[in-house]
Amino acid sequence: MTDGITRYGVEGGSGTGGQHLPFARAVAADGWLYVSGQVAMVNGEVIDGGIVAQSHQAIRNVLAILEEAGYGPEHVVRCGVWLDDARDFQSFNRVFKEYFGAHPPARACVVSPMVVDCKVEVDCVAWKKP
């Protein structure tokens, strides 16, 4: 912790091919938690499967980081979503609603080529009273 800032996963973890990831999984400051973008990665490799399987895993990765930091989906105020293919929008929405339907956050969703070979990336900002 530095001046009220707590960094989770500062070792960076590893991405595809064992590449070191030079950023924190999340950073907390004054009740706010900023979770880095998560893809459908397990043990440094993107899982097989279509948009539904990858959406579930990307969101589970976000939720695991929230839990590690003492937050839950009810604390999420905003999500950012990147889809590789606009045709996946409705399928992603169905999965998203399973996790955030009771506490829907604000959200932006864009179509963008991905840096790794995946179909979706999700980040979020959460808040709870310090």
Coordinates of all heavy atoms in Angstrom, one line a residue, residues 85-121:
D85 N -16.5 -9.1 -32.3 CA -17.5 -9.2 -33.4 C -18.9 -8.6 -32.9 O -19.4 -9.1 -31.9 CB -17.7 -10.7 -33.8 CG -18.5 -10.9 -35.0 OD1 -19.4 -10.0 -35.3 OD2 -18.3 -11.9 -35.7
A86 N -19.4 -7.6 -33.6 CA -20.6 -7.0 -33.2 C -21.8 -8.0 -33.2 O -22.7 -7.8 -32.4 CB -21.0 -5.9 -34.2
R87 N -21.7 -9.1 -33.9 CA -22.8 -10.1 -33.9 C -22.9 -10.8 -32.6 O -23.9 -11.5 -32.3 CB -22.6 -11.1 -35.1 CG -22.7 -10.4 -36.5 CD -22.3 -11.4 -37.5 NE -20.9 -11.6 -37.5 CZ -20.2 -12.3 -38.3 NH1 -20.8 -12.9 -39.4 NH2 -18.9 -12.5 -38.2
D88 N -21.9 -10.7 -31.7 CA -21.9 -11.3 -30.4 C -22.6 -10.5 -29.3 O -22.7 -10.9 -28.2 CB -20.5 -11.6 -30.0 CG -19.8 -12.7 -30.8 OD1 -20.5 -13.5 -31.4 OD2 -18.6 -12.7 -30.9
F89 N -23.1 -9.3 -29.7 CA -23.6 -8.4 -28.7 C -24.8 -9.0 -27.9 O -24.8 -8.9 -26.6 CB -24.1 -7.1 -29.4 CG -24.6 -6.0 -28.5 CD1 -23.7 -5.3 -27.6 CD2 -25.9 -5.7 -28.4 CE1 -24.2 -4.3 -26.8 CE2 -26.4 -4.7 -27.6 CZ -25.5 -4.0 -26.8
Q90 N -25.8 -9.6 -28.5 CA -26.9 -10.1 -27.8 C -26.5 -11.3 -26.9 O -27.0 -11.4 -25.8 CB -28.0 -10.5 -28.8 CG -28.7 -9.3 -29.5 CD -29.2 -8.3 -28.5 OE1 -29.7 -8.6 -27.4 NE2 -29.1 -7.0 -28.9
S91 N -25.6 -12.2 -27.4 CA -25.2 -13.3 -26.6 C -24.4 -12.8 -25.4 O -24.6 -13.4 -24.3 CB -24.3 -14.2 -27.5 OG -25.0 -14.8 -28.5
F92 N -23.5 -11.8 -25.6 CA -22.8 -11.3 -24.4 C -23.8 -10.7 -23.4 O -23.7 -10.9 -22.2 CB -21.8 -10.2 -24.9 CG -21.1 -9.6 -23.7 CD1 -20.1 -10.2 -23.0 CD2 -21.6 -8.4 -23.1 CE1 -19.5 -9.7 -21.9 CE2 -21.0 -7.9 -22.0 CZ -20.0 -8.5 -21.4
N93 N -24.8 -9.9 -23.9 CA -25.8 -9.3 -23.0 C -26.5 -10.4 -22.1 O -26.7 -10.1 -20.9 CB -26.8 -8.5 -23.8 CG -26.3 -7.1 -24.1 OD1 -25.4 -6.6 -23.5 ND2 -26.9 -6.5 -25.1
R94 N -26.8 -11.5 -22.7 CA -27.5 -12.6 -21.9 C -26.6 -13.1 -20.8 O -27.0 -13.3 -19.7 CB -27.9 -13.7 -22.8 CG -29.2 -13.4 -23.6 CD -29.7 -14.6 -24.3 NE -28.9 -15.1 -25.4 CZ -28.9 -14.6 -26.6 NH1 -29.7 -13.6 -27.0 NH2 -28.1 -15.1 -27.6
V95 N -25.3 -13.3 -21.1 CA -24.4 -13.7 -20.1 C -24.2 -12.6 -19.0 O -24.2 -12.9 -17.8 CB -23.0 -14.1 -20.7 CG1 -22.0 -14.4 -19.6 CG2 -23.2 -15.3 -21.6
F96 N -24.0 -11.4 -19.5 CA -23.7 -10.3 -18.6 C -24.9 -10.1 -17.6 O -24.7 -9.9 -16.4 CB -23.6 -9.0 -19.4 CG -23.2 -7.8 -18.6 CD1 -21.9 -7.5 -18.4 CD2 -24.2 -6.9 -18.1 CE1 -21.5 -6.4 -17.6 CE2 -23.8 -5.7 -17.4 CZ -22.4 -5.5 -17.2
K97 N -26.1 -10.3 -18.0 CA -27.3 -10.2 -17.2 C -27.3 -11.2 -16.1 O -27.7 -11.0 -15.0 CB -28.6 -10.3 -18.0 CG -29.8 -10.0 -17.2 CD -31.0 -10.0 -18.1 CE -32.3 -9.6 -17.3 NZ -33.5 -9.6 -18.1
E98 N -26.8 -12.4 -16.4 CA -26.7 -13.5 -15.3 C -25.9 -13.0 -14.1 O -26.2 -13.4 -13.0 CB -26.1 -14.8 -15.9 CG -26.9 -15.5 -16.9 CD -26.3 -16.8 -17.4 OE1 -25.6 -17.4 -16.6 OE2 -26.4 -17.0 -18.6
Y99 N -24.9 -12.2 -14.4 CA -23.9 -11.8 -13.3 C -24.3 -10.5 -12.7 O -24.0 -10.2 -11.5 CB -22.5 -11.8 -13.8 CG -22.0 -13.1 -14.2 CD1 -22.1 -13.6 -15.5 CD2 -21.4 -14.0 -13.3 CE1 -21.6 -14.8 -15.9 CE2 -20.9 -15.2 -13.6 CZ -21.1 -15.6 -14.9 OH -20.6 -16.9 -15.2
F100 N -24.9 -9.6 -13.5 CA -25.1 -8.2 -13.0 C -26.6 -7.8 -13.1 O -26.9 -6.6 -12.9 CB -24.3 -7.2 -13.9 CG -22.8 -7.4 -13.7 CD1 -22.0 -8.0 -14.6 CD2 -22.2 -6.9 -12.5 CE1 -20.6 -8.2 -14.4 CE2 -20.8 -7.0 -12.3 CZ -20.0 -7.7 -13.3
G101 N -27.5 -8.7 -13.4 CA -28.9 -8.4 -13.5 C -29.5 -7.7 -12.3 O -30.3 -6.8 -12.4
A102 N -29.1 -8.2 -11.1 CA -29.6 -7.6 -9.9 C -29.1 -6.2 -9.6 O -29.7 -5.5 -8.8 CB -29.4 -8.6 -8.7
H103 N -27.9 -5.9 -10.1 CA -27.2 -4.7 -9.8 C -26.6 -4.1 -11.1 O -25.4 -4.1 -11.2 CB -26.2 -4.8 -8.7 CG -26.7 -5.5 -7.4 ND1 -27.4 -4.8 -6.5 CD2 -26.6 -6.7 -7.0 CE1 -27.7 -5.6 -5.5 NE2 -27.2 -6.8 -5.8
P104 N -27.4 -3.8 -12.0 CA -26.8 -3.4 -13.3 C -25.9 -2.1 -13.2 O -26.4 -1.1 -12.7 CB -28.0 -3.2 -14.3 CG -29.1 -3.0 -13.4 CD -28.8 -3.7 -12.1
P105 N -24.7 -2.2 -13.7 CA -23.8 -1.0 -13.7 C -24.0 -0.2 -15.0 O -24.7 -0.7 -15.9 CB -22.4 -1.6 -13.6 CG -22.6 -2.9 -14.4 CD -24.0 -3.4 -14.0
A106 N -23.5 1.0 -15.0 CA -23.4 1.7 -16.3 C -22.4 0.9 -17.1 O -21.6 0.1 -16.6 CB -22.8 3.1 -16.0
R107 N -22.5 1.0 -18.4 CA -21.6 0.2 -19.3 C -21.4 0.8 -20.6 O -22.3 1.5 -21.2 CB -22.3 -1.2 -19.5 CG -21.3 -2.2 -20.1 CD -22.0 -3.5 -20.3 NE -22.6 -3.5 -21.6 CZ -23.3 -4.5 -22.1 NH1 -23.7 -5.5 -21.4 NH2 -23.8 -4.4 -23.3
A108 N -20.2 0.6 -21.2 CA -19.9 0.9 -22.6 C -19.5 -0.3 -23.2 O -18.9 -1.2 -22.6 CB -18.8 2.0 -22.6
C109 N -19.9 -0.5 -24.5 CA -19.6 -1.7 -25.2 C -19.2 -1.3 -26.6 O -19.9 -0.6 -27.3 CB -20.7 -2.7 -25.3 SG -20.3 -4.2 -26.1
V110 N -18.0 -1.7 -27.0 CA -17.5 -1.3 -28.4 C -17.0 -2.5 -29.1 O -16.7 -3.6 -28.5 CB -16.3 -0.3 -28.3 CG1 -16.8 1.0 -27.6 CG2 -15.1 -0.8 -27.5
V111 N -16.9 -2.4 -30.4 CA -16.3 -3.5 -31.2 C -14.9 -3.1 -31.5 O -14.6 -1.9 -31.9 CB -17.1 -3.7 -32.5 CG1 -16.4 -4.7 -33.4 CG2 -18.5 -4.2 -32.1
S112 N -13.9 -4.0 -31.3 CA -12.5 -3.6 -31.5 C -11.7 -4.9 -31.7 O -12.0 -6.0 -31.1 CB -12.0 -2.9 -30.3 OG -10.6 -2.7 -30.4
P113 N -10.7 -4.9 -32.6 CA -9.8 -6.0 -32.7 C -9.1 -6.2 -31.3 O -8.9 -5.3 -30.6 CB -8.8 -5.6 -33.8 CG -9.1 -4.3 -34.2 CD -10.3 -3.8 -33.4
M114 N -8.9 -7.5 -31.0 CA -8.3 -7.8 -29.7 C -6.8 -8.0 -29.8 O -6.3 -8.3 -30.8 CB -8.9 -9.1 -29.1 CG -10.4 -9.0 -28.9 SD -10.8 -7.9 -27.6 CE -12.5 -7.8 -27.8
V115 N -6.1 -7.7 -28.7 CA -4.7 -7.8 -28.6 C -4.3 -9.3 -28.6 O -3.3 -9.7 -29.1 CB -4.1 -7.0 -27.4 CG1 -2.6 -7.3 -27.3 CG2 -4.4 -5.6 -27.6
V116 N -5.1 -10.1 -27.9 CA -4.9 -11.6 -27.9 C -6.1 -12.2 -28.6 O -7.1 -11.6 -28.9 CB -4.8 -12.1 -26.4 CG1 -3.7 -11.5 -25.7 CG2 -6.1 -11.8 -25.7
D117 N -5.9 -13.5 -29.0 CA -6.9 -14.2 -29.7 C -8.1 -14.6 -28.9 O -8.2 -15.7 -28.4 CB -6.3 -15.4 -30.4 CG -7.2 -16.1 -31.4 OD1 -8.2 -15.4 -31.8 OD2 -7.0 -17.3 -31.7
C118 N -9.0 -13.6 -28.6 CA -10.2 -13.9 -27.8 C -11.4 -13.1 -28.4 O -11.2 -12.3 -29.4 CB -10.0 -13.5 -26.4 SG -9.7 -11.7 -26.2
K119 N -12.5 -13.3 -27.9 CA -13.8 -12.7 -28.4 C -14.3 -11.6 -27.6 O -15.1 -10.8 -28.1 CB -14.8 -13.8 -28.5 CG -14.4 -14.9 -29.5 CD -15.5 -15.9 -29.7 CE -15.2 -16.9 -30.7 NZ -14.8 -16.4 -32.0
V120 N -13.8 -11.4 -26.3 CA -14.4 -10.4 -25.4 C -13.3 -10.0 -24.4 O -12.5 -10.8 -23.9 CB -15.7 -10.9 -24.8 CG1 -15.5 -12.1 -23.9 CG2 -16.4 -9.8 -24.0
E121 N -13.4 -8.8 -23.9 CA -12.6 -8.3 -22.8 C -13.6 -7.4 -21.9 O -14.4 -6.7 -22.5 CB -11.4 -7.5 -23.2 CG -10.6 -7.0 -22.1 CD -9.2 -6.4 -22.5 OE1 -8.9 -6.5 -23.7 OE2 -8.6 -5.7 -21.7

